[in-house]
């Protein structure tokens, strides 16, 4: 076993939405912490898996010249970046966590071993699932899809839902949850390979938004009876086109805005079609998973996903790198 605590640090910020491996560096200069370095209440976690999520792109953008209290968080230069991750407790000075416990953290450093406090950890259930499943099929993205589809979307059998970024971590689960509830599902994806993947999940129609030409026309053709639920992961012109095709009393689930992450402010397109939804009494609801951790909604999510996985009715494709 290596004696160094390998970590991924941010070397430089990525300007104008352009990022590359050059923004990061692998640092092997730090030793692995031992129990003597822990304060009371802390644990040492051996990190097993980390989730790479679109919102992290925001954290490597250059800070604004004049930061305000509303400015988005940025990773500090020269420090390990962090995100959602899972691991195993290998040393503990906290009575709530024993050596061998499996844990998840929303602020897991990208390093081999991490010292964390109780307020940064969630103890995972002891079951037969792979630990990495808790950043996958039972993780944040899947839980977000569940919250958006079920609680914000309020689906009824026979309705039509359209889902952008339908091949992504959130979208792929939303597609399958919607089909399980008897909805007609229209997905959007950005390549022919992704389109075929979304079809394989059960989508009734899929739009390649990069090759379809007129977005509004393509959406109108795919949803001849209109959209009852729009699950938005992209923002920008795709959201704008979807608004024109909503039915009265439709629900719009605002989950992400990947088209704007890391983009220069001058290149971000605003929404122009909001007036079209006022008389239709459309509901727009933002979703954010964190306030729902530890609630009955998370319990319901785990139960339903476990059942779907055991029945072979839930696929979750992971791009795994070691």
């Amino acid at each position: 076993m290596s004696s160094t605590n390998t970590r991924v640090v941010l070397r430089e910020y990525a300007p104008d939405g352009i990022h590359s491996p050059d923004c990061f560096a692998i640092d092997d200069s730090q030793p692995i912490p031992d129990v003597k370095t822990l304060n009371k209440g802390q644990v040492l976690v051996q990190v097993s898996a980390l989730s790479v999520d679109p919102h992290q792109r925001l954290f490597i953008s250059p800070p604004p010249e004049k930061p305000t209290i509303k400015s988005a968080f940025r990773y500090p230069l020269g420090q390990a970046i962090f995100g959602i991750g899972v691991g195993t407790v290998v040393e503990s000075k906290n009575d709530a966590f024993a050596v061998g416990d499996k844990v998840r953290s929303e602020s897991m450093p990208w390093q081999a071993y991490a010292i964390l406090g109780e307020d940064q950890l969630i103890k995972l259930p002891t079951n037969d699932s792979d630990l990495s499943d808790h950043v996958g099929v039972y993780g944040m993205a899947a839980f977000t899809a569940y919250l958006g589809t079920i609680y914000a979307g309020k689906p009824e059998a026979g309705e039509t839902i359209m889902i952008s970024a339908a091949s992504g971590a959130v979208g792929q689960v939303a597609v399958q949850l919607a089909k399980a509830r008897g909805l007609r599902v229209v997905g959007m994806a950005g390549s022919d390979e992704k389109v075929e993947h979304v079809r394989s999940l059960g989508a009734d129609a899929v739009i390649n938004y990069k090759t379809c030409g007129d977005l509004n026309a393509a959406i109108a053709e795919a949803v001849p009876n209109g959209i009852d639920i729009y699950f938005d992961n992209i923002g920008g012109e795709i959201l704008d086109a979807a608004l024109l095709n909503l039915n009265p009393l439709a629900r719009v689930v605002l989950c992400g805005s990947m088209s704007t992450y890391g983009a220069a402010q001058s290149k971000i397109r605003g929404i122009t079609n909001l007036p079209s939804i006022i008389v239709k009494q459309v509901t727009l609801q933002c979703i954010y998973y964190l306030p729902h951790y530890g609630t009955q909604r998370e319990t319901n999510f785990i139960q339903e996903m476990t059942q779907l996985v055991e029945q072979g009715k839930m696929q979750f494709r992971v791009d795994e790198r070691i």
Side-chain angles (χ1 to χ4, degrees), residues 140-209:
M140 177 275 290
F143 188 29
T144 298
Y146 182 83
L147 291 168
T149 305
I150 308 308
Y151 291 102
K154 298 179 175 62
E156 295 184 9
E159 290 188 319
T160 295
I161 183 172
M162 190 170 80
I163 302 165
S164 61
S167 68
V170 174
Q172 63 181 323
V173 175
V175 167
Q176 295 170 88
L177 288 173
K179 287 302 295 182
R181 281 166 169 72
L183 276 69
R184 181 174 186 272
V185 178
V186 176
M188 302 192 78
S191 72
D192 291 341
E193 187 273 333
K194 291 178 181 179
V195 165
E196 289 307 310
H197 175 59
V198 176
R199 290 189 192 281
S200 76
L201 300 176
D204 300 280
V206 189
I207 300 168
N208 185 333
Y209 67 87

Side-chain angles (χ1 to χ4, degrees), residues 114-303:
I115 296 176
L116 297 166
E118 182 175 354
D119 61 343
Q120 297 173 286
L121 294 169
I122 295 173
K123 188 183 296 186
L124 296 173
T126 302
N127 53 34
D128 295 331
S129 64
D130 189 286
L131 188 54
S132 63
D133 284 343
H134 292 277
V135 290
V137 71
Y138 302 118
M140 177 275 290
F143 188 29
T144 298
Y146 182 83
L147 291 168
T149 305
I150 308 308
Y151 291 102
K154 298 179 175 62
E156 295 184 9
E159 290 188 319
T160 295
I161 183 172
M162 190 170 80
I163 302 165
S164 61
S167 68
V170 174
Q172 63 181 323
V173 175
V175 167
Q176 295 170 88
L177 288 173
K179 287 302 295 182
R181 281 166 169 72
L183 276 69
R184 181 174 186 272
V185 178
V186 176
M188 302 192 78
S191 72
D192 291 341
E193 187 273 333
K194 291 178 181 179
V195 165
E196 289 307 310
H197 175 59
V198 176
R199 290 189 192 281
S200 76
L201 300 176
D204 300 280
V206 189
I207 300 168
N208 185 333
Y209 67 87
K210 290 186 178 179
T211 61
C212 69
D214 186 325
L215 266 175
N216 182 47
I219 293 172
E221 181 178 354
V223 292
N225 296 318
I227 300 169
D228 300 296
I229 306 167
Y230 174 53
F231 197 124
D232 182 50
N233 294 297
I234 298 294
E237 62 179 342
I238 292 178
L239 170 59
D240 213 22
L243 295 180
L244 289 176
N245 292 276
L246 297 177
N247 287 329
L249 303 180
R251 287 82 71 199
V252 176
V253 181
L254 299 174
C255 175
S257 185
M258 285 188 282
S259 67
T260 69
Y261 295 163
Q265 192 67 34
S266 61
K267 298 179 181 180
I268 295 176
R269 170 176 170 168
I271 302 301
T272 62
N273 291 326
L274 283 177
S276 69
I277 69 174
I278 295 174
V279 295
K280 294 181 180 180
Q281 301 179 74
V282 170
T283 299
L284 284 75
Q285 182 170 341
C286 303
I287 55 167
Y288 181 49
Y289 69 96
L290 202 55
H292 301 280
Y293 271 147
T295 68
Q296 185 61 44
R297 290 182 175 182
E298 185 183 22
T299 301
N300 295 344
F301 157 70
I302 294 294
Q303 290 175 346

Side-chain angles (χ1 to χ4, degrees), residues 299-317:
T299 301
N300 295 344
F301 157 70
I302 294 294
Q303 290 175 346
E304 179 166 346
M305 292 296 284
T306 299
Q307 184 178 35
L308 290 172
V309 169
E310 291 175 348
Q311 294 174 346
K313 297 180 179 179
M314 178 59 64
Q315 302 178 47
F316 193 88
R317 186 168 69 170

